[in-house]
Amino acid sequence: MTEAQLQEYTLRCAKAETETEKLTARVQALASGCFDSFEDDDVSDKEFTNLINENKKLKYRINILKKSMGRQGEDTGKTAPEDNFSNHMCNILGQLEDVFKNAVHVAYPDVADPVIQIQLSKHADYQCNAAMSLAKTLKKNPREVGQTLVKSVAPSPMIAKMDLSGPGFINIFLSQDFIKQQVTNVIINGVTSPPTKPMRVVIDFSSPNIAKEMHVGHLRSTIIGDSISRLLEFLGHDVLRLNHLGDWGTQFGMLIAHLQDCFPDFASKPPPIADLQTFYKESKRRFDEDEAFKKRAYGAVVKLQAHDPLHIKGWQEICDISQKEFEKVYERLGIHITNRGESYYQSRMEAIVKELNDAGLLEEDNGRKVMFADGADIPLTIVKSDGGFTYDTSDMACIKNRIDEEKGEWLIYVTDAGQSQHFKSLLACAKRAGIYRPSVTRLDHVPFGVVLGEDKKKFKTRSGDTVRLVELLNEGLQRAGEKLKEKDRHKVLTPEEFTKAQEAVAYGCIKYADLCHDRARDYIFSFDRMLDFRGNTAAYLLYALTRIRSIARTAGVNRDEIIAEAKKKPIDLDHEKEWKLARTILRLPDILVRITEDLYLHPLCEYLYEVSTVFTEFYDNCYCLEKDETGKIVKINMWRLMLCEATAQVMEKCFSILGIETVDKM
């Protein structure tokens, strides 16, 4: 970059900053309703939105200009500090997008928000198609635009060379030195997160009801929510995992009344309730059939809501028993979550009702108080005709709590797709009330389909009952043990190793069978399919990982020796299959970043299967160990053991994010 160009960039940057400051002041004034400094008092929502968008564009342009100023260097050719990936993995696709965005702003400074399309290529490592869309905007020849962009790309340690093909496609060839160093870093430092701006994330998942057992209906929310939490935690976000328990309501009146009858001394002696589900059914039967009991149950609700000590004690006993049973399931699945029930939000619901009522946002409807909003096809019922609260009230209080008190910058709700309409209305009303502002807080509803049986109907037991989650896990454990014994694993593994493998396969297969499908669709639950040691299943992939780990073990080389070798010099990647495997394992950060955009997890499963497939190609064509006719190892190709180590680490990180335990032997 010449001195004249540098001065031009500086002036443009300063001008953009001045424009941004003016727009920021105007947006803030509009948001607060202070229009005194403007002639046009009557400002529409559309204008307000346009100002915010224009402000974002200017800030984005400032960042691009500053990056371009920092990355361009006519004499030194050095890159900016943010291009230094010696300490963490590089999200190559994202970095290439930045490189070409900068190139567009250097070559065509008047183009705002350029569309940069970069994809894998059969003719190179990646291909950039930006010239095609730019050519339409600029009314120029796309090949000419492509040539200009290539010349405008700042020096990057990732890129070895570029060329043009067809009407203007830019072929990108990655630097071998960069790839070697990145793989070597994985060996030495493990799989590390690409640079991410940390956010405070509150994720709501699982959410069973007190006094009822967890069933197959809770399976998907629990598994998907845990995996999303693991991903965001790995990327450096501050994640609060919330279990929104149904621990309040009229049903607790009948439970407490039944508790008083069955265990009169419950206040001083913990009631020995072994099966809370049966206890619940008994109380419900009495409630439906016995008018005197029903009257007592309603009286118990009133006393509970008035915080009578004895009734609070009974309620707490029931909650404690139930939560201990939930914890047994979570422990088996390796899930950590913070319990926070409906009871936590009682005072907050009272406050939100007052706030909405005082703001004139509630309307009378047959004795109820409801709330309408643009985009809400169905209004929220904030107060029932009897004065009680609803799930709508609770959810409004939750959003306010998570934004204002928990300081959540990103809220995630993992529920079945049947609640999509409810969340659409909820967000519209929260937005109208000023509680939720999309420009400030990101909010995602993560819907999922239902679990089907092999008859393609809703998954039930043979008797037609809902499948209990404990029974499902027990059956998975039994079947996994039988499958491993079919393969004579019990003859080569110690009892402890066999148990670990059995649990890893059982719970891993249940999780993977869920996560490998598009979550928005229903999926068929089949133990036979998920326990198959062929194809894209957890059983196969866990076994593939143990085989990779066994290569170094067979060679008598431990991980410390491999790391020591990697520290001496970067890995060699001479064979085409070595190069292909290296490029594949380095795509993990791009996959993870992409998942954060839509929170669909099946691409990670597809990627994990791809890694195992590409590794098989490598192993079939590149000898890691060379043996003589007697089977004795005569040569150890250390750089290939290094590549095995990097592959294993990437696979293990994928499994970790999916919430699946791995084992050394299977």
Side-chain angles (χ1 to χ4, degrees), residues 88-89 191-202 227-241 409-410 589 592-593 596 653 657:
H88 51 77
M89 291 186 75
V191 177
T192 51
S193 169
T196 308
K197 180 186 177 183
M199 297 177 70
R200 171 67 165 168
V201 183
V202 183
S227 188
I228 291 173
S229 298
R230 288 169 176 267
L231 168 63
L232 299 181
E233 286 161 353
F234 171 68
L235 292 175
H237 297 292
D238 176 17
V239 180
L240 173 60
R241 301 154 165 247
E409 300 169 278
W410 184 359
L592 300 183
V593 171
T596 63
K653 180 53 68 178
I657 291 170

Side-chain angles (χ1 to χ4, degrees), residues 72-84:
Q72 298 275 3
E74 184 180 44
D75 299 324
T76 64
K78 292 181 179 178
T79 56
E82 54 262 43
D83 281 341
N84 180 6

Side-chain angles (χ1 to χ4, degrees), residues 512-581:
Y512 193 85
D514 187 310
L515 297 170
C516 72
H517 292 90
D518 179 337
R519 62 169 165 76
R521 300 183 179 184
D522 302 340
Y523 85 94
I524 297 173
F525 191 97
S526 167
F527 273 122
D528 289 338
R529 191 176 305 162
M530 66 178 66
L531 288 168
D532 196 337
F533 275 74
R534 299 164 297 176
N536 188 12
T537 67
Y540 165 75
L541 292 167
L542 285 167
Y543 183 61
L545 176 59
T546 61
R547 288 186 62 199
I548 296 172
R549 283 294 186 200
S550 72
I551 297 170
R553 197 161 54 240
T554 301
V557 178
N558 62 43
R559 187 165 179 269
D560 289 340
E561 292 174 293
I562 295 174
I563 293 174
E565 191 69 24
K567 287 180 177 179
K568 293 178 184 177
K569 70 181 185 73
I571 192 172
D572 290 326
L573 298 171
D574 297 328
H575 196 283
E576 64 168 317
K577 298 300 181 182
E578 296 171 345
W579 178 245
K580 181 178 180 181
L581 179 57

Side-chain angles (χ1 to χ4, degrees), residues 201-413:
V201 183
V202 183
I203 176 166
D204 182 325
F205 66 99
S206 195
S207 304
N209 289 316
I210 293 294
K212 295 182 181 179
E213 282 195 280
M214 293 182 72
H215 53 75
V216 71
H218 298 110
L219 184 66
R220 300 207 72 184
S221 176
T222 304
I223 291 172
I224 295 168
D226 177 60
S227 188
I228 291 173
S229 298
R230 288 169 176 267
L231 168 63
L232 299 181
E233 286 161 353
F234 171 68
L235 292 175
H237 297 292
D238 176 17
V239 180
L240 173 60
R241 301 154 165 247
L242 286 185
N243 199 12
H244 188 83
L245 299 173
D247 71 344
W248 201 255
T250 54
Q251 74 272 23
F252 281 92
M254 72 180 190
L255 287 167
I256 293 171
H258 189 52
L259 182 70
Q260 289 172 327
D261 291 344
C262 296
F263 306 99
D265 58 349
F266 72 87
S268 57
K269 184 179 177 181
I273 302 174
D275 188 347
L276 199 56
Q277 182 81 354
T278 299
F279 184 84
Y280 179 89
K281 288 180 179 179
E282 289 172 354
S283 67
K284 182 68 168 64
R285 179 178 52 79
R286 293 184 68 190
F287 184 85
D288 292 338
E289 299 174 1
D290 187 339
E291 284 299 321
F293 179 80
K294 179 183 286 189
K295 185 176 180 180
R296 283 178 52 217
Y298 280 131
V301 171
V302 174
K303 291 181 179 179
L304 175 64
Q305 292 176 343
H307 289 83
D308 173 75
L310 185 63
H311 287 73
I312 288 291
K313 175 66 176 175
W315 167 78
Q316 191 63 63
E317 289 289 351
I318 293 168
C319 290
D320 289 346
I321 293 168
S322 204
Q323 288 182 36
K324 285 176 183 175
E325 293 303 310
F326 296 158
E327 194 54 43
K328 291 177 183 177
V329 173
Y330 293 138
E331 186 176 353
R332 291 176 72 173
L333 293 174
I335 289 167
H336 304 285
I337 193 166
T338 299
N339 293 327
R340 188 173 291 176
E342 293 276 341
S343 57
Y344 176 85
Y345 299 99
Q346 288 306 299
S347 62
R348 291 167 175 82
M349 283 193 266
E350 294 169 5
I352 196 69
V353 169
K354 184 177 186 306
E355 180 181 327
L356 297 176
N357 200 52
D358 290 349
L361 298 175
L362 301 184
E363 300 179 26
E364 291 286 338
D365 179 49
N366 294 322
R368 301 179 304 155
K369 289 187 177 181
V370 300
M371 182 175 178
F372 292 88
D374 290 339
D377 298 332
I378 301 174
L380 297 185
T381 299
I382 302 300
V383 182
K384 295 189 294 185
S385 57
D386 63 2
F389 298 147
T390 69
Y391 288 125
D392 295 346
T393 327
S394 172
D395 283 343
M396 285 290 279
C398 284
I399 288 185
K400 186 171 179 61
N401 164 258
R402 293 167 189 183
I403 293 175
D404 293 352
E405 297 181 57
E406 297 296 347
K407 307 302 178 186
E409 300 169 278
W410 184 359
L411 309 186
I412 302 172
Y413 293 85

Side-chain angles (χ1 to χ4, degrees), residues 408-650:
E409 300 169 278
W410 184 359
L411 309 186
I412 302 172
Y413 293 85
V414 185
T415 74
D416 64 89
Q419 296 191 44
S420 295
Q421 184 64 59
H422 165 70
F423 274 98
K424 182 181 177 183
S425 296
L426 178 68
L427 299 191
C429 289
K431 184 178 176 182
R432 183 187 174 202
I435 296 169
Y436 161 59
R437 289 184 292 162
S439 61
V440 176
T441 306
R442 174 176 173 179
L443 198 154
D444 288 286
H445 175 221
V446 178
F448 52 82
V450 299
V451 181
L452 304 176
E454 295 191 70
D455 58 359
K456 297 186 179 179
K457 296 180 181 178
K458 202 166 183 179
F459 197 24
K460 300 275 188 180
T461 63
R462 290 183 180 178
S463 62
D465 294 331
T466 301
V467 179
R468 297 167 62 202
L469 203 45
V470 169
E471 292 176 352
L472 191 74
L473 298 180
N474 289 342
E475 184 177 353
L477 203 59
Q478 176 192 337
R479 286 177 176 250
E482 292 169 355
K483 195 74 175 179
L484 290 170
K485 285 179 179 178
E486 281 178 18
K487 296 183 173 295
D488 293 331
R489 295 293 90 196
H490 61 300
K491 296 179 181 178
V492 296
L493 298 175
T494 66
E496 186 180 74
E497 289 171 342
F498 183 85
T499 299
K500 285 186 69 175
Q502 181 183 12
E503 291 177 349
V505 170
Y507 305 147
C509 285
I510 290 172
K511 289 184 178 185
Y512 193 85
D514 187 310
L515 297 170
C516 72
H517 292 90
D518 179 337
R519 62 169 165 76
R521 300 183 179 184
D522 302 340
Y523 85 94
I524 297 173
F525 191 97
S526 167
F527 273 122
D528 289 338
R529 191 176 305 162
M530 66 178 66
L531 288 168
D532 196 337
F533 275 74
R534 299 164 297 176
N536 188 12
T537 67
Y540 165 75
L541 292 167
L542 285 167
Y543 183 61
L545 176 59
T546 61
R547 288 186 62 199
I548 296 172
R549 283 294 186 200
S550 72
I551 297 170
R553 197 161 54 240
T554 301
V557 178
N558 62 43
R559 187 165 179 269
D560 289 340
E561 292 174 293
I562 295 174
I563 293 174
E565 191 69 24
K567 287 180 177 179
K568 293 178 184 177
K569 70 181 185 73
I571 192 172
D572 290 326
L573 298 171
D574 297 328
H575 196 283
E576 64 168 317
K577 298 300 181 182
E578 296 171 345
W579 178 245
K580 181 178 180 181
L581 179 57
R583 286 181 302 159
T584 301
I585 64 178
L586 292 182
R587 281 179 36 228
L588 176 60
D590 287 328
I591 301 294
L592 300 183
V593 171
R594 171 189 162 191
I595 292 172
T596 63
E597 296 171 2
D598 56 21
L599 301 179
Y600 279 86
L601 291 156
H602 63 277
L604 182 59
C605 298
E606 293 167 357
Y607 169 76
L608 181 55
Y609 182 62
E610 180 186 358
V611 170
S612 71
T613 303
V614 175
F615 180 85
T616 299
E617 290 180 26
F618 154 76
Y619 188 72
D620 289 343
N621 289 274
C622 303
Y623 292 115
C624 298
L625 311 176
E626 298 183 31
K627 302 179 180 180
D628 61 16
E629 295 177 354
T630 65
K632 180 182 177 181
I633 297 174
V634 295
K635 185 179 180 182
I636 298 173
N637 294 321
M638 201 66 179
W639 78 94
R640 288 176 178 164
L641 289 189
M642 290 163 63
L643 194 49
C644 291
E645 172 64 26
T647 304
Q649 292 215 31
V650 166

Side-chain angles (χ1 to χ4, degrees), residues 147-176:
Q147 289 171 338
T148 303
L149 287 181
V150 169
K151 292 177 183 177
S152 303
V153 169
S156 168
M158 295 183 296
I159 301 174
K161 66 174 183 176
M162 295 173 286
D163 63 31
L164 286 179
S165 63
F169 299 117
I170 302 172
N171 296 319
I172 307 163
F173 298 85
L174 298 177
S175 162
Q176 282 216 12

